[in-house]
Amino acid sequence: MTVLVGITQRVITDPRGERRDALDQRWSPFLAACGLTPLILPNHTDSALTLASSVPLAGIILTGGNDIADFGGDAKERDEAERASVAWAGKRGLSVLGICRGAQHLAYLGGGRLERATGHAGTRHPVVPSGREVNSYHDWAIVAAPSGAKCFATAADGSIEGFRLDRWAAIMWHPEREASPHPDDLALFRSLFGDMA
């Protein structure tokens, strides 16, 4: 039996200037490897909350893409829908996992600090203490985690690549973009949304 998780989407503008919600197709097979099925949430707050409330969700995943509006991004509707989804999950005691931009958003919502990053977009680098090499696509780095957060991965420049805080977890790499699921990522998703193995 699969477990449903809500998942947010980036905002893109197509060649005709139409704004569209979009989700990387690699998310579905990655989540299937975790025993999860995505419930794709729109970047419209009322619709996202109505949809999330209509089925039993194990939690919410905030995906990558788009800068946060307070840092120059142009997708305020996404920020608003994600803030509301995080609050909705918190009231129900559900887990929230932030990926890349989603990790930045959780850090920001929790009172952490972001700074412009250099040398992170389009690279691979190790994280400590595990020594694992991860992909990297971000232009903003988490330089201070929310108060009380436990950091479990950092980059060589000292920026925070992974943290946990109560029912929140955040990673700056994209597990869905790896050629095959990494065991550490599978373990993280299972620890948050239930062990479906």
Side-chain angles (χ1 to χ4, degrees), residues 11-95:
V11 175
I12 61 170
T13 302
D14 76 7
R16 291 184 300 236
E18 295 176 359
R19 292 172 68 80
R20 299 180 182 272
D21 293 342
L23 183 68
D24 188 326
Q25 291 181 349
R26 292 171 286 190
W27 270 111
S28 291
F30 173 79
L31 291 173
C34 298
L36 302 170
T37 298
L39 178 73
I40 300 170
L41 301 175
N43 286 310
H44 179 264
T45 300
D46 290 345
S47 298
L49 295 181
T50 297
L51 187 57
S53 299
S54 70
V55 294
L57 293 182
I60 302 286
I61 298 168
L62 309 182
T63 63
N66 303 120
D67 288 338
I68 298 166
D70 286 351
F71 293 88
D74 67 349
K76 288 184 179 180
E77 69 272 37
R78 180 180 183 180
D79 292 356
E80 292 167 6
E82 286 190 348
R83 276 194 304 270
S85 296
V86 169
W88 176 90
K91 289 177 184 174
R92 288 156 181 78
L94 301 177
S95 295

Side-chain angles (χ1 to χ4, degrees), residues 15 38 42 45 49 54 63 87 90 129-131 145 150 166 171 185 192 194:
T45 300
L49 295 181
S54 70
T63 63
S130 72
K150 180 181 178 185
D166 300 323
I171 55 175
D185 294 332
L192 289 168

Side-chain angles (χ1 to χ4, degrees), residues 115-188:
E115 288 182 3
R116 177 72 66 179
T118 57
H120 280 261
T123 66
R124 294 187 70 84
H125 61 81
V127 292
V128 294
S130 72
R132 173 185 171 193
E133 186 179 85
V134 297
N135 60 49
S136 186
Y137 295 95
H138 52 274
D139 293 316
W140 290 92
I142 302 170
V143 296
S147 178
K150 180 181 178 185
C151 298
F152 62 85
T154 57
D157 63 5
S159 61
I160 297 162
E161 293 274 323
F163 73 83
R164 289 190 82 146
L165 177 65
D166 300 323
R167 300 292 298 174
W168 289 3
I171 55 175
M172 291 296 288
W173 58 89
H174 287 257
E176 80 283 7
R177 293 183 182 176
E178 295 294 347
S180 59
H182 192 282
D184 292 349
D185 294 332
L186 294 174
L188 175 64

